[in-house]
Amino acid sequence: MLKTKIAVFVSGGGTNLQALIDAEKRGEIPNGEIALVLASNDTAYALTRAAENNIKSVVVKRKAFPSQEVYEEKMKEILNENSIEMIVLAGFMSLLSEDFTSFYPKRIVNIHPSLIPSFCGKGFYGLHVHEAALEYGVKVTGATVHYVNEIPDGGEIILQKAVEILEGDTPEVLQRRVMEEAEWVLLPKAVEMVAKKLQKGN
Ligand code: GRF
């Protein structure tokens, strides 16, 4: 069976990348194949996860390029060389321009650790998202997988899952619960859905 070739973009620990690798191994992403890991820095632990699983990886640092345009051209070139058809942003901290996102319409997905449209957009990344949820006092948060377009966290929603906030939660505790109960479950499911759709469309 043909599989959609996927690149996972990372910047940090890569637990979501790990969830995807594990799901693929369990046969839960039959329509997709993680063919490349692209990291925004060379210290990302996600690179070790890629190496341990024999997945090709590449580091592309924004600072190594004179402009956003040249940086993105380089990434496009790498994606093209590796026949990549779909991109998953899994904790990718480098910004992508509208030029880039519109070049891959409905082919880039992102995971965000809240129920969009709450606690999303500019400034809402990492622990800040969970700090804001606790500060507001919401009783339910969660994770969202969405398509990526020019609006930060504003593309069409693919899947969402709610997670309860408990008495005494710290941002760190909540972050971990959102990952365990929502992100690591949701992302592989959404990736399979999109990979499957792209197979049909091709
Ligand atoms: C996750 O919380 C994800 O939702 C957000 O960045 C974090 C990445 O964590 N976009 P990891 O690198 O996958 O462990």
Side-chain angles (χ1 to χ4, degrees):
M1 186 169 91
L2 269 177
K3 289 176 190 259
T4 299
K5 288 189 110 188
I6 301 167
V8 184
F9 284 23
V10 294
S11 297
T15 62
N16 281 287
L17 167 67
Q18 190 67 53
L20 289 172
I21 294 171
D22 294 345
E24 188 183 340
K25 282 193 182 148
R26 289 193 302 265
E28 290 168 14
I29 312 184
N31 286 279
E33 176 199 345
I34 305 167
L36 182 71
V37 169
L38 186 148
S40 62
N41 64 79
D42 47 24
T43 55
Y45 186 69
L47 287 167
T48 304
R49 298 181 191 272
E52 281 172 358
N53 291 279
N54 300 315
I55 299 169
K56 182 173 175 182
S57 64
V58 57
V59 178
V60 189
K61 295 183 193 172
R62 168 65 184 86
K63 280 189 183 152
F65 300 90
S67 65
Q68 184 75 15
E69 200 182 335
V70 182
Y71 164 62
E72 291 180 350
E73 275 311 316
K74 179 68 188 175
M75 289 200 290
K76 281 188 202 166
E77 196 183 296
I78 293 169
L79 296 174
N80 192 28
E81 279 166 11
N82 288 278
S83 312
I84 298 300
E85 303 166 284
M86 173 180 170
I87 299 164
V88 180
L89 307 183
F92 187 62
M93 298 299 287
S94 187
L95 295 175
L96 298 171
S97 76
E98 184 174 354
D99 270 352
F100 187 90
T101 58
S102 61
F103 195 76
Y104 301 100
K106 291 264 180 108
R107 287 175 182 270
I108 311 178
V109 304
N110 179 49
I111 175 117
H112 183 77
S114 77
L115 293 174
I116 290 175
S118 290
F119 314 117
C120 64
K122 205 164 178 261
F124 288 99
Y125 61 90
L127 271 184
H128 298 307
V129 180
H130 305 290
E131 281 162 5
L134 290 174
E135 175 118 326
Y136 198 96
V138 291
K139 303 300 176 204
V140 172
T141 184
T144 303
V145 182
H146 61 92
Y147 285 112
V148 175
N149 64 10
E150 70 285 0
I151 306 158
D153 296 327
E156 186 189 323
I157 290 172
I158 302 165
L159 285 177
Q160 286 188 305
K161 191 167 190 288
V163 173
E164 238 186 308
I165 291 183
L166 303 177
E167 194 76 30
D169 271 352
T170 61
E172 290 80 5
V173 166
L174 182 58
Q175 179 181 51
R176 181 76 193 180
R177 188 179 314 115
V178 169
M179 281 180 158
E180 284 177 359
E181 293 183 10
E183 295 186 43
W184 302 340
V185 182
L186 217 52
L187 189 59
K189 270 192 197 164
V191 165
E192 168 56 16
M193 280 168 64
V194 176
K196 191 174 179 181
K197 209 174 265 181
L198 289 173
Q199 280 300 311
K200 281 188 187 150
N202 280 343

